[in-house]
Amino acid sequence: MTVRISIWDRAAILGLGAAGGILSFDALQQMAAAIHVRDNLVWLFPLVIDGFIAYSVRALVVLRDAHFAARLYVWALFSTATSTSIWANGLHAVRLNQQNPVGAGLHLGDATVGVLSTIAPLALAGAVHLYILIARRSTTDHARTVVPARTGSGPNTDDTDEALLVAQDAVQNAGRVNRRLVRSALRAQHIKISNERLGIVLQTLRDESDGSNTRSQP
């Protein structure tokens, strides 16, 4: 069954990501002031840290078939930025909590305050990841209608269809779906397609592979 991704789904995820980013931005901006960053530059500190989190999530999805060294590098950037943001948000909340007098309204323990303060940066990373997954699912649904499965009913003139046929043969012989493998097979057949079309072909192959594995299970 095709799942339709509505504009409200996208708006909800963007709203959640924006809310998490703003909350984290406020805390990190105060931390920048605490480490004596100039007043007119404090906004750059959260932008760099949370910006790395957001873009690293996209890079992890885009480079999921890249060399191990490239994926390790992106994971290192993502882990460092996320850990820094979580630690800074937690430290900011705990220090302010320690400065507030007990009895002035609701007062939580330092551990509780520290844990709750990490929700903002995690919400930002999670929202970006969800948005990418939704966008990729939408592309996959489009590919299922635009790129037909191999039927052997005759020649295809569409570049994507021809690329899919070549890629299916390469994947069947290798027993796995791999971006480098598909690129090499297409290059050997002198087929040139854009990165967007290549992504559609790869996602179609993964869906076919997942479907075959599901049918083969008892």
Side-chain angles (χ1 to χ4, degrees), residues 13-14 16-22 24-25 28 46 49-55 57 78 85 118-130:
I13 293 177
L14 288 174
L16 290 172
I22 291 171
S24 181
F25 186 93
L28 293 177
I49 295 177
D50 286 346
F52 256 118
I53 292 176
Y55 201 78
V57 172
F78 171 73
S85 183
T118 65
I119 293 176
L122 291 176
L124 172 61
V128 174
H129 189 230
L130 284 176

Side-chain angles (χ1 to χ4, degrees), residues 1-178:
M1 180 181 66
T2 301
V3 179
R4 293 186 176 274
I5 308 302
S6 71
I7 189 174
W8 300 110
D9 295 319
R10 298 178 185 271
I13 293 177
L14 288 174
L16 290 172
I22 291 171
L23 291 174
S24 181
F25 186 93
D26 178 64
L28 293 177
Q29 191 170 240
Q30 294 182 56
M31 292 296 289
I35 60 176
H36 311 297
V37 176
R38 293 182 181 180
D39 291 343
N40 60 333
L41 296 177
V42 292
W43 62 274
L44 287 174
F45 187 68
L47 185 64
V48 169
I49 295 177
D50 286 346
F52 256 118
I53 292 176
Y55 201 78
S56 293
V57 172
R58 169 169 171 75
L60 286 172
V61 176
V62 172
L63 299 177
R64 62 187 179 276
D65 294 321
H67 292 292
F68 174 75
R71 289 184 284 115
L72 181 62
Y73 175 70
V74 177
W75 270 109
L77 288 178
F78 171 73
S79 300
T80 301
T82 304
S83 299
T84 300
S85 183
I86 290 175
W87 173 79
N89 273 271
L91 180 61
H92 166 264
V94 170
R95 290 297 296 150
L96 288 181
N97 191 59
Q98 293 173 345
Q99 294 173 11
N100 290 334
V102 177
L106 179 63
H107 188 85
L108 302 175
D110 291 346
T112 303
V113 169
V115 171
L116 291 177
S117 68
T118 65
I119 293 176
L122 291 176
L124 172 61
V128 174
H129 189 230
L130 284 176
Y131 186 85
I132 293 172
L133 291 179
I134 283 181
R136 191 172 67 179
R137 176 58 183 266
S138 180
T139 301
T140 301
D141 291 340
H142 176 71
R144 287 171 177 166
T145 59
V146 174
V147 183
R150 185 176 186 179
T151 61
S153 58
N156 275 313
T157 58
D158 185 80
D159 291 342
T160 307
D161 296 345
E162 184 180 2
L164 179 59
L165 296 178
V166 174
Q168 284 173 327
D169 286 336
V171 168
Q172 184 176 5
N173 293 333
R176 69 183 190 281
V177 179
N178 182 275

